[in-house]
């Protein structure tokens, strides 16, 4: 499916700036690192009666795309589960390759196709809001996955509590440093909801500890090479670094590799959304870390399950909270999947062989 780029009057820079603001909005609704409004939404039942249809269903999937291991794990899992589901007649996978403008255009074109359901991983909480609202007004339910949308026009939102994940991983890092030390931060893609929320949550934690100093903060774009480059520059400018906070374990991997290359002792780490490669490297280097999850395969599974419930008229809530399983250096071996490569986002939901065939096999 070929999608023409259409910005709809909103440039990428504007979208990212608005999304960064949206990611920080609602801080008053956060208490002790928990997003109170989302927990309330988790109790709010959505009326799905208007969307009830008889299968097989035509479902559109507009995720970030396989721009990194997390995105490929998500797409691969959704495709596998859709293939197993008798009520899914067609899965329309619309690639956007991490481009906000392209995703806006893809949403507008997908609405015209009138699928039974749209599953969306929004690359901008603000920029995708209007398109999501248009889809819902057109009678198409929208289940957003892994990132929220400003104004909550969606049918349901499936995710972990992003703020809590960032907050708790930062708290764990501070605790491992006994409340004192110099920290660097490596964040995700600027403007993307998860990246901004994780960054904001960690900054809130660090500000409350007078003996914690953030000496440098950069965006690594959820790219290991970019994160390594940024970390290398931070190492050169800072002879003393005690801890690394990474909003996405691509940043943690990049930092670990930079410390190794520089011949400097590994610091303590706090991160979120651990990849298989982070677990391998952390175990090999015996680093102390805490990683709060945003597991791609579980996101995909829960997103598809929620969408099917909507179409079947079953009960869903405004926010579907995925239960977190925190991974640390003490239980890393229990979560590491040796058959799969470093890019895989643990844990697997489909059979391991399926992920191997999708390109995640360890060479």
């Amino acid at each position: 499916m070929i999608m023409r780029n259409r910005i709809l009057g909103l440039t990428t820079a504007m979208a990212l700036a608005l999304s960064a603001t949206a990611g920080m909005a609602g801080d008053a609704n956060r208490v002790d690192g928990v997003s109170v409004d989302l927990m309330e939404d988790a109790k709010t039942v959505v009326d799905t009666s208007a969307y009830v249809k008889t299968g097989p269903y035509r479902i559109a999937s507009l995720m970030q795309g396989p721009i990194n291991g997390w995105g490929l794990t998500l797409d691969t899992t959704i495709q596998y589960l859709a293939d197993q589901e008798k009520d899914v007649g067609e899965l329309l996978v619309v690639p956007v390759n991490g481009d906000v403008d392209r995703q806006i255009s893809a949403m507008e074109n997908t609405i015209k196709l009138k699928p039974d359901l749209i599953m969306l991983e929004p690359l901008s909480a603000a920029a995708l809001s209007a398109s999501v609202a248009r889809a819902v007004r057109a009678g198409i339910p929208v289940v957003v996955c892994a990132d929220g949308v400003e104004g909550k026009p969606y049918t349901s939102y499936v995710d972990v509590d992003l703020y809590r994940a960032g907050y708790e991983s930062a708290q764990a890092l501070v605790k491992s440093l006994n409340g004192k030390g110099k920290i660097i931060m490596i964040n995700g893609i600027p403007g993307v909801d998860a990246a901004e929320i994780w960054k904001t949550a960690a900054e809130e934690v660090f500000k409350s500890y007078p003996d914690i100093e953030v000496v440098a903060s950069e965006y690594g774009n959820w790219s290991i090479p970019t994160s390594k480059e940024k970390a290398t520059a931070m190492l050169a400018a800072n002879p003393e670094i005690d801890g690394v906070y990474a909003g996405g374990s691509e940043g943690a991997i990049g930092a670990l590799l930079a410390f190794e290359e520089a011949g400097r002792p590994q610091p303590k780490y706090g991160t979120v959304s651990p990849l298989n490669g982070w677990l391998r490297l952390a175990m090999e280097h015996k680093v102390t870390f805490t990683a709060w999850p945003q597991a791609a395969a579980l996101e995909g599974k829960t997103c598809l399950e929620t969408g099917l419930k909507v179409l079947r008229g079953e009960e869903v809530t405004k926010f579907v909270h995925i239960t977190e399983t925190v991974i640390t250096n003490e239980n890393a071996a229990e979560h590491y999947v040796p058959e799969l490569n470093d890019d895989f986002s643990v844990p697997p939901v489909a059979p391991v062989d399926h992920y191997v065939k999708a390109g995640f096999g360890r060479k």
Side-chain angles (χ1 to χ4, degrees):
M1 186 180 300
I2 299 174
M3 297 293 179
R4 291 173 54 198
N5 227 356
R6 186 151 58 91
I7 301 179
L8 302 175
L10 189 66
T11 68
T12 300
M14 289 169 62
L16 294 180
L18 283 169
S19 183
T21 304
M24 289 179 247
D27 285 353
N29 287 320
R30 290 161 180 157
V31 177
D32 294 330
V34 176
S35 299
V36 177
D37 62 325
L38 289 183
M39 295 307 104
E40 288 300 315
D41 285 350
K43 302 173 187 174
T44 303
V45 176
V46 177
D47 182 2
T48 59
S49 59
Y51 304 121
V52 176
K53 293 184 178 181
T54 301
Y57 305 120
R58 195 161 170 253
I59 297 175
S61 178
L62 286 77
M63 304 299 163
Q64 69 173 38
I67 59 173
N68 54 20
W70 198 96
L72 181 58
T73 303
L74 179 67
D75 287 349
T76 300
T77 302
I78 290 173
Q79 185 67 65
Y80 173 82
L81 295 175
D83 288 345
Q84 310 308 305
E85 178 56 62
K86 61 180 177 58
D87 279 344
V88 178
E90 184 179 8
L91 181 70
L92 303 170
V93 178
V94 186
V96 299
N97 296 324
D99 188 306
V100 177
D101 297 334
R102 192 171 178 180
Q103 192 172 52
I104 294 168
S105 179
M107 272 293 289
E108 297 301 317
N109 282 278
T110 301
I111 291 168
K112 294 174 186 175
L113 296 174
K114 298 181 179 179
D116 297 312
L117 170 73
I118 294 175
M119 299 189 305
L120 171 71
E121 181 196 355
L123 290 168
S124 166
L128 272 297
S129 181
S131 295
V132 171
R134 267 191 287 279
V136 173
R137 285 198 301 269
I140 305 168
V142 178
V143 175
V144 298
C145 319
D147 286 292
V149 173
E150 191 178 62
K152 303 181 182 181
Y154 45 76
T155 309
S156 186
Y157 168 32
V158 174
D159 207 350
V160 300
D161 182 345
L162 292 174
Y163 192 84
R164 184 186 181 203
Y167 186 94
E168 295 290 355
S169 57
Q171 283 279 23
L173 173 59
V174 171
K175 183 178 179 181
S176 71
L177 293 170
N178 296 315
K180 184 177 182 179
K182 297 181 186 295
I183 289 173
I184 62 171
M185 296 178 66
I186 302 179
N187 309 298
I189 298 174
V192 175
D193 209 29
E196 299 298 345
I197 289 175
W198 287 338
K199 178 176 181 287
T200 300
E203 288 171 341
E204 288 297 316
V205 169
F206 299 146
K207 275 191 276 186
S208 64
Y209 290 89
D211 292 327
I212 291 291
E213 180 184 359
V214 178
V215 296
S217 180
E218 295 280 357
Y219 287 96
N221 297 328
W222 289 324
S223 161
I224 293 170
T226 302
S227 297
K228 182 185 175 186
E229 179 184 341
K230 299 285 188 178
T232 298
M234 288 188 259
L235 278 162
N238 296 280
E240 182 184 346
I241 298 173
D242 304 298
V244 173
Y245 173 82
S249 69
E250 295 88 351
I253 293 171
L256 186 152
L257 294 174
F259 273 88
E260 179 185 36
E261 190 172 275
R264 285 175 56 173
Q266 289 292 336
K268 307 288 179 64
Y269 288 85
T271 190
V272 291
S273 191
L275 293 175
N276 208 38
W278 169 249
L279 300 184
R280 179 183 67 82
L281 287 166
M283 289 189 293
E284 286 180 3
H285 290 267
K286 296 180 172 59
V287 301
T288 298
F289 77 92
T290 297
W292 278 69
Q294 191 198 32
L298 290 177
E299 292 274 356
K301 177 177 183 289
T302 313
C303 196
L304 180 60
E305 288 174 347
T306 301
L308 290 173
K309 285 181 178 180
V310 170
L311 295 175
R312 292 165 178 161
E314 299 173 11
E315 183 177 297
V316 302
T317 50
K318 189 69 175 178
F319 177 62
V320 178
H321 186 207
I322 299 175
T323 303
E324 300 98 335
T325 300
V326 182
I327 304 176
T328 71
N329 48 285
E330 294 181 353
N331 66 357
E334 300 170 23
H335 298 273
Y336 176 63
V337 186
E339 300 93 336
L340 300 179
N341 67 19
D342 288 357
D343 292 333
F344 182 73
S345 172
V346 297
V349 166
V352 169
D353 285 350
H354 176 75
Y355 294 113
V356 170
K357 290 175 184 175
F360 284 110
R362 183 166 294 283
K363 296 178 182 178

